[in-house]
Amino acid sequence: MGPGTWGPISVALLAGLLGAFAPMSAGAYTISIDPGTKSIYLVVGTGKMTGGTLDSGGTPGNSSVVNKVSVTVPAASIGSGPLPMTTDSTTSNSLLDGFAYCDVPNEVYVGGYYRAPGNGAGASASLSVTSPANLTSGGQNLSFNSISWTSGGNGANAVTIPSGTFAAGTAQNLIAVSKNYWFEGCLQFFYANASVVPAGTFTGRVTYTLTSP
Amino acid sequence: MNARLYLRWRFRVEHWCLIAAFLASGSNVNAFTAVRVDDSATVVSQPVSKMQWRTPVPGRHTDHVVQTRVNVLARLNLAAWLGQGVRIYMVLEPSGGNTFTASWRGGARLLPGTLQSGQRTLVFVGRVNTAMFEEPLVLDLATDGRTLVAAQSLHFHFELEVA
């Protein structure tokens, strides 16, 4: 190549390079996706877990068990102040990791989660409890607000369910359950035993509900 | 060297310096020369794919990944490069606030790989011997389910460099 021919070749090369930047075709394929599904789970007392704890890959299921909490008031103690109640639930270990969390038969295990896309406050699930107005024994009534609870758990860093007293006849919110976290607590119930009531077996059922937005 | 030849030589050197500077101006020379391939004939198996939690129950040792699997039949029009050695990359374009990971197993001709939003990965090296390159892909898509709160569209395309 002689010295007089380099210019056109260089220009042609440059043009070729420039041409490479121009898209030949603006093709693209698109995949449309929807966010993750929602799920919710609540266990109060005896739950159902198969395949080990949740952390080890266990799967939560439905349990038809309705546990009882009871106390027998000795005749000599009638009206003399709070008495601890005991439960027939045998769930003492955390369903999350098997840690010995609750003391049975004194405490009732409560746990659950709300799985949903997103994070943070403002879109939490709500744990509530509804109690009837009264425990009943035949025609006799005993207000449900005579039953209270304290919340705890062995080695718990924070109490997830606050202690409280049943609001007789109404639903009451207990906690907001943040998305994508397992919550749990142990509830110890007490009978106020603040008055003299007729002899009998007073019963009533409360219902815990976890509601997603 | 006479004056005329010197001027020509000087101009020649300056010209090549200009080209060199032009090539070096991009942070990635390969990306600079990549050509977007016509993949408009590519088919995705389902119009919308529902993400599923990898661990349905949130726990202390579980993650928050949502994932899904999509079958794609990639069809690339490579007629312009018949007989040439090429490198082909798959690109996942940036996708809003979420970082997605796409991984796939290799097919008969495509290499297995993984890429994240905003990245590209080599999927083919070789000579083009067919005008319409067709290959099935099983794409596994994943992202953090806590930040994926709305439907999204993930845009993939292919880039080609002549080897």
Side-chain angles (χ1 to χ4, degrees):
Chain A
M1 181 186 303
T5 59
W6 57 267
I9 291 176
S10 298
V11 171
L13 174 62
L14 183 58
L17 288 169
L18 285 169
F21 305 130
M24 294 187 68
S25 174
Y29 68 93
T30 299
I31 298 175
S32 298
I33 56 169
D34 274 348
T37 53
K38 291 183 178 180
S39 62
I40 198 165
Y41 183 71
L42 174 66
V43 53
V44 180
T46 302
K48 183 177 182 180
M49 191 68 59
T50 55
T53 63
L54 292 167
D55 271 357
S56 64
T59 303
N62 291 324
S63 171
S64 59
V65 175
V66 179
N67 290 114
K68 295 177 182 175
V69 175
S70 62
V71 64
T72 298
V73 182
S77 301
I78 296 175
S80 64
L83 293 172
M85 306 176 79
T86 58
T87 177
D88 64 352
S89 168
T90 58
T91 300
S92 58
N93 293 350
S94 166
L95 299 187
L96 176 64
D97 56 10
F99 182 75
Y101 194 53
C102 299
D103 296 325
V104 292
N106 297 321
E107 295 177 323
V108 176
Y109 180 81
V110 180
Y113 69 84
Y114 170 44
R115 192 61 141 159
N119 231 1
S124 304
S126 175
L127 177 64
S128 62
V129 61
T130 303
S131 58
N134 298 298
L135 299 111
T136 60
S137 175
Q140 302 294 324
N141 292 329
L142 181 61
S143 174
F144 234 105
N145 64 17
S146 63
I147 308 296
S148 62
W149 68 88
T150 57
S151 181
N154 297 325
N157 293 325
V159 176
T160 58
I161 300 174
S163 301
T165 299
F166 286 116
T170 62
Q172 58 195 112
N173 290 324
L174 298 177
I175 55 169
V177 177
S178 298
K179 287 179 181 176
N180 300 317
Y181 289 96
W182 177 265
F183 80 94
E184 59 188 359
C186 303
L187 305 183
Q188 163 77 70
F189 292 91
F190 293 88
Y191 167 52
N193 190 30
S195 61
V196 176
V197 297
T201 300
F202 290 82
T203 61
R205 179 184 290 192
V206 299
T207 302
Y208 288 84
T209 304
L210 185 58
T211 307
S212 70
Chain B
M1 184 180 297
N2 60 37
R4 187 179 176 193
L5 190 58
Y6 170 76
L7 285 174
R8 282 186 175 174
W9 175 250
R10 181 180 162 193
F11 186 53
R12 185 179 194 177
V13 170
E14 287 174 348
H15 200 93
W16 280 109
C17 287
L18 179 65
I19 293 173
F22 179 69
L23 289 173
S25 63
S27 58
N28 184 329
V29 172
N30 286 337
F32 220 51
T33 58
V35 178
R36 191 157 167 165
V37 178
D38 176 11
D39 62 357
S40 56
T42 295
V43 178
V44 178
S45 59
Q46 60 261 49
V48 179
S49 186
K50 188 83 172 175
M51 302 295 275
Q52 305 290 336
W53 298 94
R54 185 158 65 187
T55 53
V57 179
R60 294 192 187 111
H61 304 299
T62 56
D63 59 44
H64 302 288
V65 170
V66 288
Q67 59 188 14
T68 191
R69 175 167 287 180
V70 180
N71 293 307
V72 176
L73 180 58
R75 288 177 172 147
L76 311 184
N77 183 353
L78 302 181
W81 297 278
L82 264 175
Q84 297 187 59
V86 300
R87 291 185 295 269
I88 299 176
Y89 300 84
M90 187 158 73
V91 181
L92 173 55
E93 298 173 9
S95 46
N98 287 89
T99 297
F100 286 84
T101 299
S103 56
W104 61 94
R105 297 187 295 268
R109 288 172 292 181
L110 289 182
L111 301 170
T114 298
L115 80 166
Q116 293 189 326
S117 305
Q119 296 179 342
R120 70 174 192 168
T121 295
L122 186 69
V123 293
F124 177 82
V125 179
R127 188 168 300 279
V128 177
N129 53 22
T130 178
M132 181 60 74
F133 185 97
E134 185 171 303
E135 186 85 357
L137 277 174
V138 181
L139 274 181
D140 289 317
L141 304 171
T143 191
D144 188 335
R146 295 171 298 180
T147 56
L148 180 65
V149 295
Q152 285 201 24
S153 295
L154 304 182
H155 303 289
F156 293 84
H157 68 263
F158 293 90
E159 292 178 352
L160 180 147
E161 295 172 0
V162 175

